Amino acid sequence: MGQSLSGSTPPCGREHMGTLYLVATPIGNLEDITLRALRILREVPLIAAEDTRHTRKLLTHFNISTSTISYHEHSPQAQRDIILSALATGDVALVSDAGTPAVSDPGQDLVRAAIAAGYPVIPIPGPTAAIAALIASGLPTDNFTFLGFLPRKSTDRRTLLEQVRMSPYTLILYEAPHRLLSCLDDLLAMLGDREIAIARELTKLHEDWLRGSLAAIRARFASGELTPRGEFTLVISGALVTPTTAPDESHSVEDLARDRLGDLLSHGLATREAAARVARELGLTRREAYALALHLSEEKAEHDEE
Ligand code: SAM
């Protein structure tokens, strides 16, 4: 089914070489399935599914009768081998219960095994909660870190958060409703009060959003004003997103911009991205911020050479 960039001969000299398709499925709203996903799910001889009963409902909705086989995080290696041997004679589509397979869902092992065995692996992109939440969060999208699910134990969570505390990148994470409040406690304790956007039930009938300060939103859950129900994705601003000092007689906007650019560049942001962020934060034009950033980068390079 897939076309090879390298010509018509299958790699590794196999005569029949199947492709492993990683097919994204809706995270709530069934209209979000792509036309390509439907075609692949209809045409492949076999679908490996995290939960075959769950996937059967999706397939039935779209009048697809393809056979399914189970593949989940507790699947034994033998199950993976069965799927790999199915690839020897035909294509296989991998789906998870919702969203993009292998993103906080089973699939990565199978992908690695299929690549190691020389089978083509092709993504069929579509919904994923992390990106849907990021783009509507209102927080910077130019750089981000996806943390998946944080560890269940608070001490392990805090250890992980310590590692990203200084990162200037927007953070995205998944959390189960019964751990939401303790997660917000740890986020506040380790990262300080920051901007947060919490997306609940994305793409579903009761989708809603909480945007604001981490401390204020945490307090609303802690007091019982809000009850954590449904599926949540959290988007949190990176370190130092808001400048702590305003311009005054002793700090011109240019001083502040230089300090802020210095911070961002030393955290590894590219010159152009650091400039864009500082321009946004301090009301400079991009051109002004970029010129300052270039100047700082050159100064740093000269300093490093000495
Ligand atoms: N592979 C999926 C994806 O691409 O988004 C993620 C699977 S992970 C097991 C499930 C978690 O994703 C949920 O606990 C929740 O944190 C997040 N999630 C999934 N669907 C969501 C939705 N509709 N709204 C908000 N978050 C969602």
Side-chain angles (χ1 to χ4, degrees):
M1 194 183 300
Q3 286 175 348
S4 165
L5 292 179
S6 53
S8 55
T9 316
C12 310
R14 293 174 207 251
E15 279 194 19
H16 302 285
M17 155 96 41
T19 293
L20 177 63
Y21 290 98
L22 309 173
V23 181
T25 58
I27 56 171
N29 191 324
L30 292 184
E31 289 180 20
D32 288 337
I33 197 149
T34 69
L35 296 175
R36 190 170 174 221
L38 289 175
R39 180 177 62 75
I40 299 279
L41 293 175
R42 194 165 278 129
E43 289 180 4
V44 291
L46 185 64
I47 297 172
E50 183 180 6
D51 177 339
T52 51
R53 278 175 306 178
H54 185 97
T55 296
R56 180 56 61 201
K57 287 186 199 149
L58 178 81
L59 297 177
T60 303
H61 180 87
F62 290 108
N63 280 323
I64 296 173
S65 52
T66 308
S67 305
T68 57
I69 182 173
S70 142
Y71 184 74
H72 50 75
E73 60 177 326
H74 304 298
S75 290
Q77 189 169 336
Q79 189 74 350
R80 202 174 71 198
D81 293 344
I82 292 173
I83 297 170
L84 286 177
S85 49
L87 279 169
T89 53
D91 297 329
V92 175
L94 174 72
V95 297
S96 62
D97 284 352
T100 299
V103 174
S104 297
D105 262 343
Q108 210 208 353
D109 288 359
L110 184 61
V111 168
R112 289 183 69 80
I115 292 170
Y119 294 109
V121 175
I122 304 281
I124 308 298
T128 186
I131 300 297
L134 172 71
I135 59 172
S137 67
L139 295 171
T141 53
D142 37 11
N143 302 95
F144 56 88
T145 302
F146 174 60
L147 298 173
F149 285 102
L150 297 183
R152 289 171 186 211
K153 274 174 57 187
S154 174
T155 43
D156 299 338
R157 263 203 308 265
R158 288 186 178 220
T159 306
L160 188 136
L161 290 172
E162 174 61 32
Q163 288 166 20
V164 295
R165 194 168 62 84
M166 298 304 288
S167 164
Y169 305 145
T170 300
L171 302 172
I172 310 171
L173 56 100
Y174 290 155
E175 194 47 279
H178 61 281
R179 270 193 293 271
L180 183 69
L181 180 57
S182 55
C183 174
L184 293 174
D185 286 343
D186 290 339
L187 287 169
L188 187 59
M190 298 307 294
L191 307 181
D193 195 11
R194 297 190 181 187
E195 267 190 83
I196 187 170
I198 303 186
R200 193 182 78 89
E201 300 283 82
L202 283 164
T203 79
K204 301 183 195 174
L205 195 59
H206 298 293
E207 167 169 343
D208 63 46
W209 285 84
L210 291 164
R211 296 184 181 88
S213 105
L214 177 48
I217 289 177
R218 183 211 149 270
R220 294 178 68 191
F221 280 106
S223 69
E225 180 199 335
L226 295 172
T227 314
R229 244 184 246 124
E231 295 199 279
F232 291 94
T233 299
L234 280 56
V235 187
I236 303 131
S237 62
L240 306 167
V241 165
T242 312
T244 46
T245 336
D248 56 27
E249 297 102 52
S250 51
H251 296 95
S252 66
V253 174
E254 188 174 319
D255 291 339
L256 291 178
R258 287 175 70 91
D259 288 354
R260 182 81 178 108
L261 284 166
D263 270 346
L264 294 174
L265 294 171
S266 69
H267 277 102
L269 239 69
T271 312
R272 196 169 289 282
E273 284 152 9
R277 190 173 289 191
V278 168
R280 204 166 46 227
E281 289 174 3
L282 293 173
L284 298 174
T285 65
R286 277 186 176 230
R287 186 191 287 265
E288 287 166 337
Y290 188 62
L292 269 178
L294 268 188
H295 189 65
L296 276 183
S297 301
E298 283 162 12
E299 271 181 7
K300 184 172 178 304
E302 278 169 24
H303 183 263
D304 291 347
E305 265 174 28
E306 283 167 16

